[in-house]
Every structure is written in C-alpha cells, then in structure tokens.
Amino acid sequence: MLLSQIRTAEGGVGVVAREGTEAYEVRGAESLYALALDCARSGDTLAARIARLGFGAAVDLERAYEEGRILAPIHHPDPAHLHLTGTGLTHLGSAATRDSMHQVTADEETNLTDSMRMFRMGLEGGKPAGGAPGVQPEWFYKGNGDAVAAPGTPLTSPAFADDSGEEPEIAGIYVVDDNGAVFRVGFALSNEFSDHVMERVNYLYLAHSKLRPASFGPEILIGPLPEDIRGTSRILRGGEAIFEKPFLSGEANMSHTIANLEHHHFKYDLFRRPGDVHVHMFGTATLSFAEGVRTQPGDVFEIAAPQFGLPLRNTVAIDNSAARDEPVAVRAL
C-alpha cells in the first residue's frame, strides 16, 4: 500500500491510499500523522485501520501533482516536532571500491581518510548477527519541519551556499507514541539536498553542508523495505536530461541493516519524545556532483523507483532575499 497527502478542494488535508493504479481518499482521516498515532495507540496496523475506515472519492494523483496539490506525505502540526536527519557511508558502491578497501595494506592503513575508515567499519560491523546492535554510522541533522519541501516545490539554497546538489535516498518515516515507543510508518523516496562544494573544502564542514531543505515522498510505502531497490536519479534542464544515473538501495546494497541504523538514531532519549515525527534518510552512493555536474536555478531533480509510486520532483532555487555575506546582528539583553 502507498499513502500520500493532498490539498483538498476545500483547502484541507486528504489522506490518499492506493494499491496498484487506483487511488482513493481515506474516509475520516484528518492527516497521516493523526492516523499513524491512532494506530500506535490502539495496536492497529495502518492497512487494517484504513480498511475499516473505507474509501471515499477517487483521486487522480498525477493531476494533483501537476496542480501543485501534493503535500509532504506526513507532517506535524507544529513543525518544530518533525526532525529531518540522516546517515551516510552506508551503501556499498561499486565492487571495485569494496575490493580495494579489503586490499589495503598495513602501511596504507594509516593514510586512510576518516570517510574510508567509517566505510570500512560499516562493511565489517554494520550487519551484526542475531539482531544485536552493530557499529554506529555517520549521522547528521538537516532541520525541522520548516525545512521540508513538498514534492513539486522548490528546494531552495540560501544566498551563501556554494552548491545546490541532490542526494537520492530512501527515508524511514516514524512517529513516537505517548509512551515514547517508536513506530515506523513506512519508507519514501527522498532528496537529501546538500552543499557538496562546502563539504569538499573540509570534512568538518559536513554539518554546515547538510543544513538545507529536503524533500520526501510523494508516497510512503507501507510495509518492509524491499531488499533490492533500483531507481533512477535525473536532472532536467530546459526539459532535457543533463544527468541520469541509476541509484541502488535496500539492504542488499547496503553495509548496514535498517534495524542497525534505526537503533543508532533512536537510542537517544531526545529522539523518543512523545508525539514527534522523524524522517531519517539512509544514505546514497549516487551524486551528480561526483560526475562534475553543477546545478543551476530552474533545474529539476527527479528521483524514481518503481516500488515507491510517483517520482519525487523538485526544482532548484536560490534565496536571494539577503546578500550573500550580509551579517546577522546579535544584540545583548
């Protein structure tokens, strides 16, 4: 089952469900957030609750997309209680890269970058046996609900950004119940928009480079994550593709299990605050920046994988409302 949210003709939020090509509004669902929390409290699955609620009007999702009525597939009524986070160096990449990693000699060991060390740690300890916690991955923070760009809307870089680059990923979507227990709603395509030029200056700028908006959806896949996900990441300029490359995800293509990545995020008490929503991105091995592409305002990112329904599209934009180096004044009280 795929779930999404649209802006209704009356200006409200409609929850949309589909299995196959036909999509329908879910009766009595004020939002996916409210529906998910109700299920967490009652012990229902989303599929069972939706089956009991029943379906209303049919929805043409592609037309809603064209009309700009597709919303982020989940939101929190208070954006400060939605957390955008992620993890990197989790995907295997090419076989040649893996082979070269395993062939490093003792003398070369001391010359490995921190990124390569982290990658090797994942290869060696990211999939522990018996469900025990494995090695912890890289982790980063992107922002709160104010940083969410709905599918079809611009991903906007600040004036001081050096780059506006895509990262096609899979994200886990979670709600925390009244007792602090974490429930996974499902998985969605995501674009973990980042500033790769800034990151390349110094790896310690990684935290700065990630403080950019992100988009996910348009639909959330309910149920387990497929083992082998094969999607496509494209950049369109003037309607023509200037970049197109496959991306792989799913545990068959990862050095960590999803359970291990989830554990190392939610092991922190502050991420189990009742009522909060988490969108946690699981990393990628495909970047147009690595191929020498520099995006421009107006370029369109398109991330697609067949298991996730509609493709995720967003346009590149730059916030020129302030000068690049305009200082932020801080006043003493």
Side-chain angles (χ1 to χ4, degrees):
M1 180 179 287
L2 293 164
L3 300 180
S4 56
Q5 293 191 135
I6 62 168
R7 181 71 63 194
T8 65
E10 297 76 26
V13 175
V15 176
V16 178
R18 70 176 175 126
E19 293 181 282
T21 58
E22 301 299 318
Y24 300 90
E25 282 195 50
V26 178
R27 286 199 182 104
E30 63 180 79
S31 69
L32 183 51
Y33 170 70
L35 184 62
L37 271 186
D38 282 346
C39 288
R41 290 165 179 151
S42 68
D44 278 351
T45 66
L46 280 164
R49 174 63 65 88
I50 288 169
R52 283 204 301 275
L53 289 172
F55 299 104
V59 177
D60 185 335
L61 282 175
E62 292 190 357
R63 181 176 177 183
Y65 213 168
E66 293 171 0
E67 295 173 347
R69 294 192 296 112
I70 293 283
L71 305 174
I74 194 168
H75 68 281
H76 193 288
D78 178 356
H81 289 278
L82 186 150
H83 307 274
L84 286 173
T85 57
T87 185
L89 302 172
T90 54
H91 284 65
L92 297 175
S94 69
T97 299
R98 296 201 301 279
D99 288 344
S100 67
M101 293 296 299
H102 290 303
Q103 293 168 7
V104 171
T105 68
D107 289 339
E108 292 170 323
E109 181 76 28
T110 57
N111 296 320
L112 287 177
T113 65
D114 286 341
S115 293
M116 293 298 269
R117 290 179 190 277
M118 182 69 73
F119 181 73
R120 288 190 70 183
M121 288 167 62
L123 288 177
E124 295 165 2
K127 292 185 173 180
V135 66
Q136 64 185 5
E138 176 195 29
W139 182 95
F140 56 82
Y141 172 75
K142 287 196 66 67
N144 61 24
D146 288 328
V148 174
T153 66
L155 283 164
T156 303
S157 282
F160 55 76
D162 296 321
D163 178 46
S164 306
E166 88 297 343
E167 294 199 20
E169 307 192 17
I170 304 301
I173 316 297
Y174 308 87
V175 296
V176 184
D177 78 357
D178 303 330
N179 300 311
V182 182
F183 289 81
R184 187 193 311 117
V185 178
F187 299 94
L189 297 172
S190 65
N191 189 338
E192 197 270 288
F193 192 55
S194 297
D195 187 336
H196 301 108
V197 172
M198 177 183 290
E199 180 184 345
R200 180 169 279 185
V201 171
N202 188 305
Y203 193 67
L204 295 179
Y205 281 163
L206 176 72
H208 284 284
S209 75
K210 297 298 187 182
L211 290 175
R212 301 290 185 271
S215 189
F216 62 98
E219 300 179 85
I220 296 176
L221 175 66
I222 306 305
L225 186 69
E227 280 283 312
D228 184 22
I229 297 166
R230 296 171 182 264
T232 304
S233 178
R234 297 201 302 165
I235 300 177
L236 305 174
R237 181 175 295 166
E240 300 293 329
I242 63 166
F243 172 81
E244 183 167 348
K245 193 169 182 178
F247 76 92
L248 304 177
S249 195
E251 288 190 5
N253 303 298
M254 297 172 68
S255 55
H256 290 258
T257 63
I258 296 300
N260 191 51
L261 299 178
E262 291 174 334
H263 162 74
H264 285 295
H265 179 69
F266 289 109
K267 68 184 181 184
Y268 295 101
D269 291 345
L270 77 162
F271 292 145
R272 300 196 305 275
R273 182 168 50 192
D276 280 7
V277 174
H278 289 257
V279 179
H280 191 57
M281 289 159 262
F282 295 127
T284 189
T286 301
L287 303 173
S288 67
F289 179 77
E291 306 289 329
V293 176
R294 292 296 300 271
T295 63
Q296 300 175 3
D299 287 352
V300 177
F301 298 126
E302 183 179 87
I303 299 168
Q307 300 98 324
F308 293 88
L310 295 174
L312 176 61
R313 299 190 191 97
N314 299 91
T315 304
V316 178
I318 307 295
D319 180 5
N320 290 314
S321 61
R324 177 181 174 88
D325 297 317
E326 182 176 331
V328 175
V330 176
R331 293 176 291 179
L333 291 174

